[in-house]
Tab-separated table of all heavy atoms in Angstrom:
chain	number	residue	atom	x	y	z
A	1	LEU	N	-5.484	-4.779	4.864
A	1	LEU	CA	-5.478	-3.765	5.913
A	1	LEU	C	-5.254	-2.417	5.239
A	1	LEU	O	-4.163	-2.128	4.774
A	1	LEU	CB	-4.364	-4.046	6.936
A	1	LEU	CG	-4.371	-5.432	7.590
A	1	LEU	CD1	-3.227	-5.560	8.574
A	1	LEU	CD2	-5.695	-5.688	8.285
A	2	GLY	N	-6.314	-1.621	5.153
A	2	GLY	CA	-6.224	-0.376	4.413
A	2	GLY	C	-6.125	-0.613	2.919
A	2	GLY	O	-5.693	0.263	2.176
A	3	ASN	N	-6.517	-1.795	2.460
A	3	ASN	CA	-6.422	-2.167	1.054
A	3	ASN	C	-7.708	-2.883	0.676
A	3	ASN	O	-7.988	-3.969	1.176
A	3	ASN	CB	-5.200	-3.073	0.842
A	3	ASN	CG	-4.962	-3.397	-0.621
A	3	ASN	OD1	-5.893	-3.601	-1.387
A	3	ASN	ND2	-3.703	-3.454	-1.000
A	4	THR	N	-8.503	-2.279	-0.198
A	4	THR	CA	-9.808	-2.843	-0.541
A	4	THR	C	-9.760	-3.798	-1.720
A	4	THR	O	-10.796	-4.288	-2.154
A	4	THR	CB	-10.799	-1.705	-0.855
A	4	THR	OG1	-10.270	-0.904	-1.923
A	4	THR	CG2	-11.035	-0.836	0.366
A	5	ALA	N	-8.580	-4.071	-2.250
A	5	ALA	CA	-8.440	-5.030	-3.345
A	5	ALA	C	-7.181	-5.864	-3.138
A	5	ALA	O	-6.238	-5.782	-3.917
A	5	ALA	CB	-8.401	-4.315	-4.689
A	6	PRO	N	-7.115	-6.660	-2.053
A	6	PRO	CA	-5.894	-7.418	-1.763
A	6	PRO	C	-5.598	-8.444	-2.851
A	6	PRO	O	-6.469	-9.198	-3.260
A	6	PRO	CB	-6.211	-8.099	-0.422
A	6	PRO	CG	-7.707	-8.169	-0.379
A	6	PRO	CD	-8.186	-6.938	-1.079
A	7	ALA	N	-4.347	-8.472	-3.320
A	7	ALA	CA	-3.923	-9.422	-4.338
A	7	ALA	C	-3.071	-10.525	-3.734
A	7	ALA	O	-2.431	-11.284	-4.459
A	7	ALA	CB	-3.143	-8.700	-5.436
A	8	ALA	N	-3.023	-10.601	-2.404
A	8	ALA	CA	-2.263	-11.624	-1.700
A	8	ALA	C	-3.017	-11.990	-0.437
A	8	ALA	O	-4.020	-11.358	-0.098
A	8	ALA	CB	-0.857	-11.113	-1.370
A	9	ARG	N	-2.542	-13.027	0.251
A	9	ARG	CA	-3.233	-13.450	1.472
A	9	ARG	C	-3.333	-12.324	2.483
A	9	ARG	O	-4.310	-12.215	3.210
A	9	ARG	CB	-2.503	-14.645	2.087
A	9	ARG	CG	-2.661	-15.925	1.297
A	9	ARG	CD	-4.106	-16.361	1.224
A	9	ARG	NE	-4.278	-17.583	0.447
A	9	ARG	CZ	-5.446	-18.099	0.129
A	9	ARG	NH1	-6.560	-17.489	0.500
A	9	ARG	NH2	-5.529	-19.206	-0.577
A	10	LEU	N	-2.307	-11.480	2.542
A	10	LEU	CA	-2.344	-10.301	3.407
A	10	LEU	C	-1.736	-9.138	2.648
A	10	LEU	O	-0.561	-9.178	2.274
A	10	LEU	CB	-1.559	-10.539	4.707
A	10	LEU	CG	-1.443	-9.333	5.646
A	10	LEU	CD1	-2.829	-8.873	6.109
A	10	LEU	CD2	-0.572	-9.660	6.842
A	11	ALA	N	-2.522	-8.119	2.390
A	11	ALA	CA	-2.056	-6.923	1.685
A	11	ALA	C	-2.242	-5.727	2.601
A	11	ALA	O	-3.334	-5.499	3.109
A	11	ALA	CB	-2.826	-6.727	0.380
A	12	ILE	N	-1.171	-4.988	2.833
A	12	ILE	CA	-1.206	-3.859	3.746
A	12	ILE	C	-0.956	-2.581	2.964
A	12	ILE	O	-0.015	-2.495	2.180
A	12	ILE	CB	-0.158	-4.008	4.859
A	12	ILE	CG1	-0.381	-5.321	5.616
A	12	ILE	CG2	-0.197	-2.827	5.815
A	12	ILE	CD1	0.662	-5.610	6.672
A	13	GLY	N	-1.789	-1.590	3.189
A	13	GLY	CA	-1.617	-0.313	2.518
A	13	GLY	C	-2.509	-0.193	1.299
A	13	GLY	O	-3.117	-1.157	0.846
A	14	PRO	N	-2.615	0.997	0.759
A	14	PRO	CA	-3.508	1.250	-0.369
A	14	PRO	C	-3.083	0.502	-1.619
A	14	PRO	O	-1.929	0.123	-1.779
A	14	PRO	CB	-3.412	2.767	-0.564
A	14	PRO	CG	-2.102	3.134	0.036
A	14	PRO	CD	-1.908	2.209	1.190
A	15	VAL	N	-4.051	0.294	-2.517
A	15	VAL	CA	-3.779	-0.411	-3.766
A	15	VAL	C	-2.805	0.380	-4.624
A	15	VAL	O	-1.870	-0.138	-5.196
A	15	VAL	CB	-5.090	-0.654	-4.529
A	15	VAL	CG1	-4.806	-1.335	-5.861
A	15	VAL	CG2	-6.040	-1.487	-3.691
A	16	SER	N	-3.026	1.674	-4.731
A	16	SER	CA	-2.169	2.524	-5.549
A	16	SER	C	-1.778	3.742	-4.743
A	16	SER	O	-2.616	4.411	-4.162
A	16	SER	CB	-2.895	2.965	-6.823
A	16	SER	OG	-2.099	3.844	-7.580
A	17	LEU	N	-0.479	4.024	-4.686
A	17	LEU	CA	-0.002	5.125	-3.859
A	17	LEU	C	0.653	6.227	-4.668
A	17	LEU	O	0.642	7.381	-4.283
A	17	LEU	CB	0.978	4.592	-2.812
A	17	LEU	CG	1.388	5.563	-1.706
A	17	LEU	CD1	0.185	5.986	-0.893
A	17	LEU	CD2	2.404	4.913	-0.798
A	18	GLY	N	1.226	5.884	-5.816
A	18	GLY	CA	1.884	6.907	-6.621
A	18	GLY	C	3.162	7.412	-5.981
A	18	GLY	O	3.363	8.614	-5.852
A	19	VAL	N	4.030	6.499	-5.556
A	19	VAL	CA	5.285	6.899	-4.927
A	19	VAL	C	6.290	7.257	-6.015
A	19	VAL	O	6.972	6.407	-6.552
A	19	VAL	CB	5.824	5.785	-4.004
A	19	VAL	CG1	5.050	5.725	-2.731
A	19	VAL	CG2	5.768	4.427	-4.689
A	20	THR	N	6.349	8.498	-6.369
A	20	THR	CA	7.187	8.939	-7.487
A	20	THR	C	8.288	9.886	-7.069
A	20	THR	O	9.214	10.134	-7.843
A	20	THR	CB	6.320	9.630	-8.548
A	20	THR	OG1	5.617	10.728	-7.936
A	20	THR	CG2	5.311	8.649	-9.138
A	21	THR	N	8.244	10.433	-5.883
A	21	THR	CA	9.278	11.357	-5.432
A	21	THR	C	9.691	11.002	-4.013
A	21	THR	O	8.897	10.443	-3.259
A	21	THR	CB	8.782	12.825	-5.457
A	21	THR	OG1	7.627	12.939	-4.608
A	21	THR	CG2	8.406	13.234	-6.870
A	22	PRO	N	10.942	11.322	-3.616
A	22	PRO	CA	11.383	11.034	-2.249
A	22	PRO	C	10.453	11.645	-1.216
A	22	PRO	O	10.009	12.781	-1.348
A	22	PRO	CB	12.778	11.664	-2.200
A	22	PRO	CG	13.239	11.648	-3.614
A	22	PRO	CD	12.010	11.897	-4.444
A	23	GLY	N	10.125	10.859	-0.201
A	23	GLY	CA	9.228	11.330	0.847
A	23	GLY	C	7.828	10.799	0.696
A	23	GLY	O	7.071	10.736	1.666
A	24	ASP	N	7.434	10.408	-0.535
A	24	ASP	CA	6.120	9.808	-0.720
A	24	ASP	C	6.096	8.435	-0.080
A	24	ASP	O	7.079	7.709	-0.103
A	24	ASP	CB	5.802	9.656	-2.215
A	24	ASP	CG	5.521	10.990	-2.883
A	24	ASP	OD1	5.352	11.971	-2.144
A	24	ASP	OD2	5.488	11.027	-4.121
A	25	GLY	N	4.953	8.038	0.458
A	25	GLY	CA	4.845	6.683	0.964
A	25	GLY	C	4.078	6.606	2.261
A	25	GLY	O	3.471	7.575	2.710
A	26	TYR	N	4.080	5.424	2.832
A	26	TYR	CA	3.438	5.205	4.118
A	26	TYR	C	4.242	4.176	4.883
A	26	TYR	O	5.063	3.475	4.310
A	26	TYR	CB	1.982	4.750	3.938
A	26	TYR	CG	1.843	3.432	3.205
A	26	TYR	CD1	1.762	2.239	3.900
A	26	TYR	CD2	1.803	3.398	1.821
A	26	TYR	CE1	1.646	1.040	3.243
A	26	TYR	CE2	1.681	2.196	1.146
A	26	TYR	CZ	1.593	1.025	1.860
A	26	TYR	OH	1.478	-0.170	1.196
A	27	THR	N	4.000	4.075	6.170
A	27	THR	CA	4.828	3.249	7.037
A	27	THR	C	3.994	2.191	7.740
A	27	THR	O	2.892	2.459	8.202
A	27	THR	CB	5.530	4.127	8.088
A	27	THR	OG1	6.372	5.057	7.420
A	27	THR	CG2	6.375	3.272	9.022
A	28	ILE	N	4.547	0.987	7.805
A	28	ILE	CA	3.993	-0.082	8.623
A	28	ILE	C	4.949	-0.250	9.791
A	28	ILE	O	6.096	-0.665	9.603
A	28	ILE	CB	3.882	-1.392	7.828
A	28	ILE	CG1	3.048	-1.175	6.561
A	28	ILE	CG2	3.283	-2.499	8.696
A	28	ILE	CD1	3.198	-2.290	5.557
């Protein structure tokens, strides 16, 4: 879901996000 290269039965969110600083990320 929003992931074009799932590495598990269900992968949610982008493959690479680059969460390196507070505030970066996404929410399910």
Side-chain angles (χ1 to χ4, degrees):
L1 305 180
N3 185 322
T4 57
R9 289 298 179 187
L10 176 61
I12 303 176
V15 178
S16 177
L17 190 62
V19 285
T20 57
T21 59
D24 288 348
Y26 62 93
T27 299
I28 304 165

